[in-house]
């Protein structure tokens, strides 16, 4: 049986708590001591452990029989958790409604990101994506606008009311990015960057974790578990294609990961068909497959002029193609009883 002991002034000291448990005849072992508290494995009768957890406000029972990811696991009839993104009309990711997050791979100029935001909102996207710290294989490639890009994202949010999803790569920049972003994205290359996961666990923002190109589903769930254990329960998972021997697409969308994740975890699941396909012609087919397989929404790259995009030009939709794609995603959603969540009313209605 696992107990989580949060370290706050009002909560019991881990050593005192272990003594108390051991006086009652249990054996205990501290498994980990992340910032958010210690995990204590207790061996002995369950009833005593529940009594102790009831008595101390900072102590919670994680799972009677240890699972590798007690916080992220789906228990028998547990529904999918909804992650709420606070904004004019809070976004709910993981409910009946599907959510579409769209925007360019990279923020390039103020005009570009505002134009993209207005366009994707008009087509029905409920949040704006755009990278300002870009994970680039080549050190000579465009690395993103950094802080300046965050200002442009804030301008796009003011113009449209759309909440912002953007990637953070550097643990030292988590607080700075969280000042602007409504959702922090952990990119595929950083899914196993443990210091970064520990840092984002501290902030009060939902965290979107993309599956690493060579990561198993189980490793993705364990990355989510780490963020939850650190104190942040608002985690969204994203399948974005994995590296296989097939070269016709940039990655291979692992559609099977969607039902597997659905069974294994209660966290909401998104699909990113853009990075899976790598070619704009294939993005819609993969988007529809993702929704049909049960994903809670999509993350799609859209650029007002894709041919000029500084990053991921070949996989970006223009605004017209995105509107068509949204139309067909709506039809598949309707067939499944899952309407698309519309952007909040208010700001940007003129769009
Ligand atoms: C991105 O979303 O632009 C991105 C870099 O994605 P990934 O981490 O999935 O490669
Ligand atoms: Mn990209």
């Amino acid at each position: 049986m696992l107990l989580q002991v949060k370290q706050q002034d009002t909560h019991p000291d881990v050593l005192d708590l272990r003594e108390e448990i051991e006086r009652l005849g249990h054996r205990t072992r501290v498994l980990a001591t992340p910032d958010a508290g210690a995990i204590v494995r207790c061996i002995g009768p369950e009833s005593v452990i529940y009594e102790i957890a009831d008595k101390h406000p900072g102590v919670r029972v994680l799972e009677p029989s240890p699972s590798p990811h007690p916080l992220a696991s789906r228990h028998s009839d547990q529904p999918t958790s909804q992650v709420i993104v606070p904004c004019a009309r809070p976004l709910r990711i993981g409910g009946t409604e599907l959510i579409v997050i769209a925007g360019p791979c990279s923020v390039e100029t103020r005009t570009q990101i505002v134009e993209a935001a207005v366009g994707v909102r008009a087509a029905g996207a409920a949040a704006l994506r755009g990278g300002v710290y870009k994970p680039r294989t080549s050190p000579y490639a465009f690395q993103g606008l950094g802080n300046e890009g965050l200002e442009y994202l804030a301008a796009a949010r003011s113009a449209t009311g759309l909440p912002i999803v953007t990637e953070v790569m550097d643990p030292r920049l988590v607080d700075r990015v969280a000042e602007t972003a409504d959702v922090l994205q952990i990119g595929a290359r950083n899914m196993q960057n443990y210091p970064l996961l520990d840092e984002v666990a501290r902030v009060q923002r939902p965290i979107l974790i993309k599956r690493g190109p060579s990561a198993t589903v189980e490793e993705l769930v364990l990355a989510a578990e780490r963020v939850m254990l650190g104190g942040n329960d608002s985690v969204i998972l994203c399948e974005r294609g994995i590296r296989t021997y097939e070269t016709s697409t940039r990655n291979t969308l692992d559609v099977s990961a969607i039902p597997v994740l659905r069974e294994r975890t209660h966290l909401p699941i998104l699909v990113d068909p853009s990075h899976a396909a790598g070619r704009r012609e294939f993005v819609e087919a993969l988007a529809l497959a993702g929704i049909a397989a049960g994903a809670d929404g999509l993350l799609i790259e859209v650029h007002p002029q894709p041919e000029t995009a500084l990053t991921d030009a070949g996989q970006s939709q223009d605004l017209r193609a995105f509107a068509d794609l949204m139309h067909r995603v709506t039809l598949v959603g309707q067939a499944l009883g899952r309407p698309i969540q519309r952007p909040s009313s208010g700001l940007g209605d003129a769009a």
Side-chain angles (χ1 to χ4, degrees), residues 48-298:
V48 175
I49 299 300
Y50 277 112
E51 267 171 39
I52 286 176
D54 280 350
K55 195 166 128 197
H56 296 291
V59 177
R60 65 171 165 167
V61 175
L62 292 185
E63 183 150 275
S65 50
S67 120
H69 32 67
L71 299 173
S73 284
R74 187 190 285 278
H75 306 289
S76 47
D77 291 331
Q78 191 179 5
T80 299
S81 294
Q82 287 190 26
V83 170
I84 312 288
V85 183
C87 57
R89 196 183 88 200
L91 238 59
R92 290 174 189 281
I93 307 183
T96 305
E97 291 181 332
L98 299 172
I99 176 113
V100 178
I101 303 168
C105 179
S106 298
V107 176
E108 296 166 4
T109 64
R110 184 188 292 264
T111 312
Q112 171 248 15
I113 192 67
V114 172
E115 199 182 328
V118 169
V120 299
R121 186 185 185 287
L128 177 69
R129 62 146 289 146
V132 300
Y133 295 102
K134 296 304 302 177
R136 304 309 304 284
T137 306
S138 165
Y140 302 108
F142 176 61
Q143 307 289 310
L145 294 181
N147 217 19
E148 185 188 349
L150 290 174
E151 282 172 36
Y152 298 163
L153 280 171
R157 177 175 46 208
S158 302
T160 59
L162 293 182
I164 303 298
V165 180
T166 196
E167 177 165 354
V168 60
M169 291 199 297
D170 184 337
R172 294 166 298 187
L173 294 180
V174 166
D175 288 324
R176 185 197 287 182
V177 176
E179 278 169 25
T180 301
D182 299 285
V183 175
L184 297 181
Q185 176 174 316
I186 299 294
R189 293 162 186 79
N190 271 313
M191 190 206 86
Q192 286 170 308
N193 181 338
Y194 303 122
L196 179 62
L197 295 175
D198 289 340
E199 275 306 298
V200 296
R202 287 189 304 101
V203 299
Q204 305 275 316
R205 292 278 180 275
I207 309 301
L208 191 163
I209 307 182
K210 300 183 94 176
R211 180 179 178 186
S214 306
T216 63
V217 168
E218 184 67 1
E219 286 162 345
L220 172 61
V221 178
L222 283 165
E225 181 78 12
R226 179 174 285 266
V227 173
M228 298 173 86
L229 183 58
N232 189 343
D233 285 339
S234 294
V235 178
I236 307 149
L237 305 175
C238 182
E239 161 60 38
R240 45 74 79 200
I242 50 175
R243 184 169 279 194
T244 69
Y245 51 79
E246 180 54 65
T247 55
S248 320
T249 50
R250 181 175 178 185
N251 290 289
T252 298
L253 183 70
D254 182 8
V255 180
S256 334
I258 301 160
V260 172
L261 283 167
R262 186 63 81 211
E263 178 184 72
R264 205 168 291 186
T265 164
H266 58 89
L267 298 172
I269 305 157
L270 301 184
V271 161
D272 171 351
S274 307
H275 290 86
R279 281 181 51 187
R280 67 172 64 86
E281 300 86 335
F282 301 152
V283 169
E284 182 181 296
L286 302 191
L288 297 176
I291 295 302
D296 298 303
L298 300 167

Side-chain angles (χ1 to χ4, degrees), residues 304-340:
Q305 287 92 31
E307 59 291 347
T308 69
L310 294 181
T311 55
D312 288 349
Q315 68 195 35
S316 300
Q317 308 289 303
D318 65 19
L319 289 165
R320 201 194 171 96
F322 177 62
D324 289 347
L325 180 154
M326 285 295 281
H327 175 65
R328 281 183 278 277
V329 168
T330 305
L331 294 177
V332 173
Q334 269 166 6
L336 297 168
R338 302 195 73 180
I340 296 191

Side-chain angles (χ1 to χ4, degrees), residues 13-25:
D13 182 72
V14 178
L15 282 179
D16 292 350
L17 188 83
R18 288 182 73 187
E19 269 185 28
E20 186 180 344
I21 296 171
E22 289 183 3
R23 266 202 311 275
L24 294 167

